[in-house]
């Protein structure tokens, strides 16, 4: 384990914003109230502020503008050790989904999830990353997908969807307006979304394609905190899209993929793109407002919407899914809290690919379960393949019965033929 | 030179200088670290987000006030009481006018001073009780938290004892503790009284670009 590399990386990660956060934190502990890992386990180590303790120590020892003077009188915290990194690995990777909910309760407005991400980068430098994530990264670099979905498999899945819907789906077609990418989970488990998109886009007269060089939006580099991996994976999408000359890349129903491509991507590749990124929710809403996807009938089930953290609280797409559901659902109910205060599914930020965290993830779902028990919906709609997969598994575990639906697939069902 | 003259004279100048230079050094040092330019395309204004964030975080939002009501109440009692005493307490105003700048200023009546001071006391004690009894607070608290709380507490306590403004030793004790408090400030978590603005601002700016302020 390379402890000094971890320290070096963490030091270099402390910019003015991180320094302000680490300096302003008054150890008031209110953030604990927001964290589903603390709430459902009562384990005080899972208080968000405690997860930041390595960063705090590094800041106060190395980066605090008065650290030099404080060192003279022995007022700085101890240097990090191997034991610290081992101990915090659980706090940094297993018990934080980077959901960002703790920020809304913090009197100092600290972006705790952002600091956990920066700590993860230190863990990567030291080589203390859970196997589930390093494995996913290896597969993503080798095959193009963290779940190991090869181009041949992808072609086959797309061909099946084309056959099922009777709509031709042309891969690698240059000059179209939109290039769609998908999350690994969608390709593997929820491939009906491909047919749904074909149906919606046909109705709306949208020209689109998918690339066999970059069909994956999932970016495990972002989740584990490995900028090099993140950059390679984003670059694939950027290169493929620019080669095809599309105007837009459609970010799929996947939380962190949107962060990776839209918010972090340009910073990773060091330039702005020659195309625009549009999230599928934004695109569907735009088509809906333009009247290009007339729908027929409404779903009469009691439906609710699960806000994926990275799309809503940390992505800024809040009203679009509600407007879309407004058009196709008769009996929509909000869970409480919702929108920017929503409760995470328990498996974001790489937690779902990290087998060490499996038990915790299911426990953390307890908060979501309470929300659901209050509202008692017939089905839950969401816009993230990972949330969907995580919640389906948790719903099974807790012996609840409730389908979890993709908003795109649901919309497609109500498109006028 | 009497002890009172010392703590109100030379030591006060040193303390005030450490406080001012230290806090400024700290703020400049933090801001100088800078941030990389964000190349992503903003959806909304970062500046508007930074401003909004300043106000948003005065109260936990998203259904939280009820869960964190203890901190919220005690925290506000302490801080509001303290600000009233500091900014509008007659002895403080007079001291500031004599020693810093003779700005025309309003002062609270004596009873207002006493009420504000008691509220501040109650708030700080409640926060401290929480800090030493709640399992999360025990886990996360360090020396700095306790020193900051105790020092502030002692400043307040000595201030209350000096309310008669007659016993010289008590006045001098208050002033000595004030000097110590000022010197400790830039090196400690007490700096939050300044850095909270940057902390809220950076989050507001970062997410404001994304069209949301969490
Ligand atoms: C509950 C809180 C406080 C009370 C009741 C209080 C009360 C007093 C009183 C009665 C005096 C006048 C002493 C005299 O001149 O005979 C005084 C002076 C002063 N207080 Fe406070 N104080 C409190 C908190 C603070 C705090 C928090 C600070 C600064 C951080 C502070 C700074 C000063 C200063 C600089 C003086 C002038 C000293 C002098 O002229 O002798 N006080 N305070
Ligand atoms: C002269 C100015 C200030 C002083 C002396 C001061 C002092 C303190 C002290 C001693 C504590 C620790 C209480 C504890 O043990 O929990 C504290 C906590 C806190 N302060 Fe301040 N503070 C000042 C200004 C501010 C400002 C401007 C803000 C924000 C707008 C602020 C926000 C807080 C918060 C949120 C806490 C945590 C309360 C809790 O434990 O729940 N403070 N402050
Ligand atoms: S980001 Fe979410 S999971 Fe992580 S500490 Fe904050 S509330 Fe907990
Ligand atoms: S709520 Fe914010 S200021 Fe309070 S302990 Fe948590 S991170 Fe620190």
């Amino acid at each position: 384990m390379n402890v000094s590399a971890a320290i070096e990386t963490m030091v270099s990660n402390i910019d003015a914003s991180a320094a302000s956060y680490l300096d302003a934190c008054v150890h008031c502990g209110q953030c604990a109230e927001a964290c589903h890992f603390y709430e459902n386990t009562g384990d005080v180590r899972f208080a968000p502020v405690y997860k930041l303790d390595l960063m705090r120590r590094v800041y106060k020892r190395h980066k605090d503008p008065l650290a030099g003077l404080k060192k003279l009188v022995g007022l700085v915290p101890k240097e990090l050790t191997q034991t610290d990194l081992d101990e915090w690995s659980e706090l940094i990777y297993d018990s934080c989904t980077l959901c960002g909910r703790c920020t809304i309760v913090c009197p100092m407005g600290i972006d705790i999830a952002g600091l956990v991400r920066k700590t993860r980068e230190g863990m990567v430098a030291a080589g203390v990353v859970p196997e589930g994530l390093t494995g996913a990264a290896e597969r993503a670099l080798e095959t193009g997908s963290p779940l190991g979905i090869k181009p041949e498999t992808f072609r086959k899945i797309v061909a099946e969807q084309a056959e099922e819907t009777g709509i031709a789906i042309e891969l690698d077609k240059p000059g179209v307006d939109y290039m769609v990418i998908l999350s690994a989970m969608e390709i593997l488990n929820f491939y009906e979304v491909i047919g749904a998109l074909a149906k919606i886009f046909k109705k709306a007269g949208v020209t689109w394609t998918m690339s066999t060089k970059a069909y994956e939006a999932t970016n495990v580099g972002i989740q584990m905190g490995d900028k090099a991996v993140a950059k390679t994976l984003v670059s694939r999408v950027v290169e493929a899209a620019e080669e095809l000359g599309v105007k837009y890349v459609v970010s799929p129903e996947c939380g962190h993929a949107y962060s990776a491509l839209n918010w972090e991507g340009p910073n990773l590749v060091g330039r702005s793109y020659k195309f625009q990124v549009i999230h599928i929710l934004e695109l569907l809403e735009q088509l809906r407002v333009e009247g290009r996807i007339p729908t027929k009938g409404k779903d009469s089930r009691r439906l609710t919407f699960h806000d994926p953290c990275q799309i809503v609280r940390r992505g800024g797409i809040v009203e679009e899914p509600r407007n879309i559901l407004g058009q196709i659902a008769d009996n929509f109910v909000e869970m409480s809290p919702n929108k920017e205060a929503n409760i995470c599914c328990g498996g974001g930020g790489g937690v779902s690919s990290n087998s060490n965290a499996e038990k915790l993830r299911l426990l953390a779902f307890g908060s979501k379960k309470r929300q659901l028990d209050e509202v008692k919906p017939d089905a839950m709609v969401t816009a993230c393949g990972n949330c969907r997969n995580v919640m389906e598994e948790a719903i099974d575990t807790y012996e609840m019965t409730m389908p979890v639906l993709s908003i795109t697939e649901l919309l497609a069902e109500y498109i006028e033929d | 030179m009497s002890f009172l003259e010392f703590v109100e004279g030379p030591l006060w100048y040193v303390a005030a200088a450490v406080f001012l230079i230290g806090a400024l050094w700290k703020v400049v040092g933090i801001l100088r670290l800078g941030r990389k330019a964000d190349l992503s395309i903003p959806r909304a204004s970062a500046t508007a987000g930074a401003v909004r964030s300043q106000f948003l975080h005065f109260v936990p939002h998203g259904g939280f006030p009820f869960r964190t009501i203890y901190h919220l109440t005690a925290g506000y009692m302490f801080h509001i009481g303290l600000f009233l005493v500091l900014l509008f307490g007659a002895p403080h105003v007079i001291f500031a006018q004599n020693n810093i700048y003779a700005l025309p200023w309003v002062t609270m009546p004596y009873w207002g001073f006493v009420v504000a001071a008691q509220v501040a006391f109650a708030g700080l004690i409640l926060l401290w009780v929480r800090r030493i009894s709640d399992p999360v607070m025990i886990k996360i608290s360090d020396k700095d938290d306790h020193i900051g709380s105790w020092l502030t507490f002692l400043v307040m306590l000595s201030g209350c004892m000096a309310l008669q403004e007659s016993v010289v030793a008590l006045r001098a004790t208050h002033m000595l503790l004030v000097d110590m408090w000022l010197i400790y400030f830039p090196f400690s978590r007490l700096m939050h009284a300044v850095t909270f603005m940057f902390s809220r601002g950076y989050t507001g700016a970062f997410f404001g670009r994304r069209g949301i302020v969490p």
Side-chain angles (χ1 to χ4, degrees):
Chain A
M1 189 195 296
N2 192 342
V3 183
S4 54
I7 296 168
E8 234 167 78
T9 304
M10 284 159 76
V11 168
S12 70
N13 268 346
I14 298 175
D15 58 4
S17 63
S20 304
Y21 296 151
L22 296 162
D23 212 272
C25 173
V26 279
H27 279 180
C28 72
Q30 295 188 72
C31 44
E33 301 299 322
C35 183
H36 47 319
F37 287 98
Y38 168 69
E39 187 185 6
N40 293 291
T41 59
D43 187 335
V44 294
R45 294 175 311 138
F46 297 158
V49 52
Y50 194 64
K51 296 170 190 167
L52 304 183
D53 217 49
L54 297 187
M55 269 317 243
R56 178 191 68 83
R57 282 164 59 185
V58 166
Y59 166 70
K60 301 229 157 148
R61 192 176 173 90
H62 298 281
K63 241 354 204 298
D64 182 333
L66 290 172
L69 272 180
K70 284 164 82 171
K71 224 177 240 166
L72 292 178
V73 284
L75 257 174
V76 290
K78 285 200 206 73
E79 190 68 284
L80 306 189
T81 63
Q82 194 158 335
T83 324
D84 293 325
L85 295 190
D86 271 334
E87 190 184 338
W88 257 264
S89 169
E90 184 191 0
L91 306 184
I92 291 302
Y93 282 109
D94 303 0
S95 64
C96 180
T97 51
L98 308 181
C99 77
R101 198 166 117 93
C102 36
T103 296
I104 70 178
V105 71
C106 173
M108 303 297 161
I110 297 170
D111 179 14
I112 296 163
L115 289 174
V116 170
R117 242 300 283 292
K118 290 184 179 213
T119 315
R120 285 189 183 183
E121 285 168 27
M123 294 288 191
V124 167
V128 197
V129 183
E131 242 168 53
L133 287 167
T134 46
E138 273 161 31
R139 284 189 297 278
L141 292 176
E142 259 168 44
T143 64
S145 155
L147 298 176
I149 304 155
K150 298 205 173 100
E152 310 86 76
T153 322
F154 174 66
R155 277 178 203 281
K156 226 176 86 197
I157 292 168
V158 173
E160 276 168 20
Q161 283 299 305
E163 197 184 302
E164 204 151 288
T165 51
I167 302 169
I169 301 172
E170 292 176 84
L171 296 177
D172 301 315
K173 188 177 177 188
V176 294
D177 287 343
Y178 295 90
M179 178 177 116
V180 168
I181 50 178
L182 296 166
S183 78
M185 200 50 78
E186 286 177 310
I187 303 175
L188 193 75
N189 271 349
F190 307 124
Y191 37 75
E192 288 93 348
V193 75
I194 301 170
L197 285 170
K199 196 171 157 192
I200 294 169
F201 289 162
K202 182 173 174 225
K203 187 78 194 176
V206 163
T207 60
W208 68 293
T209 191
M210 286 189 282
S211 164
T212 51
K213 289 183 190 156
Y215 40 87
E216 257 299 338
T218 314
N219 193 318
V220 62
I222 295 281
Q223 296 174 323
M224 66 198 274
D226 189 325
K227 277 195 179 132
V229 173
K231 180 178 173 181
T232 309
L233 297 180
V234 167
S235 301
R236 273 187 195 155
V237 175
V238 176
E239 277 159 28
E242 290 181 349
E243 202 181 298
L244 290 174
V246 294
K247 294 193 189 117
Y248 299 92
V249 170
V250 182
S251 188
E253 288 195 15
C254 173
H256 79 276
Y258 181 59
S259 284
L261 187 64
N262 193 46
W263 300 119
E264 301 197 33
N267 299 311
L268 288 167
V269 299
R271 63 171 174 90
S272 40
Y273 305 148
K274 298 195 185 98
F275 54 87
Q276 274 184 41
V277 176
I278 186 166
H279 191 268
I280 182 67
L281 286 172
E282 292 177 299
L283 177 56
L284 293 177
E285 172 63 356
Q286 186 189 321
L287 297 175
R288 189 190 73 84
V289 170
E290 290 169 0
R292 289 166 70 182
I293 40 173
T295 53
K296 204 172 69 192
K298 283 193 172 193
D299 200 306
S300 61
R301 282 175 296 179
R302 191 172 165 82
L303 296 181
T304 191
F305 184 72
H306 164 76
D307 293 279
C309 309
Q310 305 301 326
I311 294 174
V312 181
R313 177 166 43 244
R314 296 171 74 75
I317 300 175
V318 184
E319 295 305 329
E320 287 84 345
R322 293 170 166 85
N323 296 344
I324 295 164
L325 286 171
Q327 179 162 328
I328 55 169
D330 237 353
N331 205 350
F332 175 73
V333 282
E334 287 280 10
M335 281 180 274
S336 164
N338 53 52
K339 300 181 182 171
E340 82 275 8
N342 83 304
I343 293 171
C344 171
C345 65
V351 168
S352 62
S353 356
N354 172 3
S355 56
N356 305 346
E358 195 174 316
K359 218 178 111 201
L360 271 177
R361 157 165 65 85
L362 290 168
L363 276 175
F365 180 78
S367 303
K368 192 90 232 166
K369 181 174 184 303
R370 277 190 286 283
Q371 279 192 298
L372 288 167
D373 289 344
E374 253 170 54
V375 175
K376 300 190 179 59
D378 299 322
M380 172 161 51
V381 185
T382 191
C384 171
N386 186 54
C387 292
R388 196 174 160 197
N389 192 55
V390 164
M391 292 192 297
E392 279 185 352
E393 203 185 311
I395 284 171
D396 263 358
T397 310
Y398 285 96
E399 296 179 347
M400 301 155 72
T401 42
M402 181 186 310
V404 187
L405 313 170
S406 131
I407 191 164
T408 310
E409 287 174 39
L410 188 68
L411 176 65
E413 279 178 38
Y414 289 92
I415 295 285
E416 256 179 31
D417 283 323
Chain B
M1 190 190 292
S2 73
F3 185 58
L4 181 61
E5 277 163 1
F6 173 70
V7 292
E8 280 188 353
L11 190 61
W12 150 253
Y13 290 117
V14 171
V18 170
F19 172 79
L20 283 176
I21 296 170
L24 196 70
W25 180 273
K26 190 104 186 214
V27 166
V28 172
I30 289 174
L31 296 183
R32 261 188 37 164
L33 294 173
R35 270 199 320 165
K36 279 209 193 98
D38 193 338
L39 301 175
S40 65
I41 302 168
R43 184 183 281 131
S45 150
T47 316
V51 172
R52 203 170 154 232
S53 178
Q54 298 296 335
F55 297 98
L56 200 59
H57 289 281
F58 275 116
V59 178
H61 54 291
F64 282 110
F66 299 105
R67 300 191 57 186
T68 52
I69 198 78
Y70 185 99
H71 282 270
L72 196 63
T73 317
Y76 271 105
M77 281 168 67
F78 164 61
H79 285 91
I80 292 174
L82 183 71
F83 292 148
L84 288 177
V85 164
L86 264 182
L87 295 175
F88 302 107
H92 295 146
V93 172
I94 294 163
F95 181 83
Q97 285 172 335
N98 289 343
N99 290 279
I100 303 172
Y101 189 74
L103 204 67
W105 202 252
V106 286
T107 55
M108 282 192 299
Y110 183 78
W111 64 264
F113 193 115
V114 172
V115 170
Q118 298 317 316
V119 170
F121 261 117
L124 186 58
I125 292 169
L126 286 173
L127 288 175
W128 182 75
V129 166
R130 176 86 158 191
R131 198 173 280 293
I132 58 160
S133 61
D134 178 82
V136 170
M137 300 301 286
I138 293 171
K139 184 78 182 166
I140 66 178
S141 300
D142 57 17
K143 256 190 286 180
D144 186 5
D145 294 311
H146 293 290
I147 299 174
S149 294
W150 273 102
L151 208 47
T152 308
F153 180 79
L154 291 175
V155 168
M156 286 165 45
L157 185 71
S158 60
C160 274
M161 294 189 342
L163 268 177
Q164 306 305 325
E165 300 193 27
S166 51
V167 185
V168 169
L170 290 177
R171 287 178 59 186
T173 310
H174 184 52
M175 198 59 207
L176 173 68
L177 284 161
V178 168
D179 290 338
M180 286 168 58
W181 188 91
L182 288 171
I183 292 170
Y184 187 64
F185 186 98
F187 298 96
S188 70
R189 215 166 257 123
L190 293 174
M191 266 304 284
H192 76 272
V194 179
T195 43
F196 84 95
M197 267 180 282
F198 308 127
S199 175
R200 289 182 189 178
Y202 278 123
T203 295
F206 185 77
F207 287 99
R209 300 179 86 256
R210 301 184 176 193
I212 193 158
V213 181

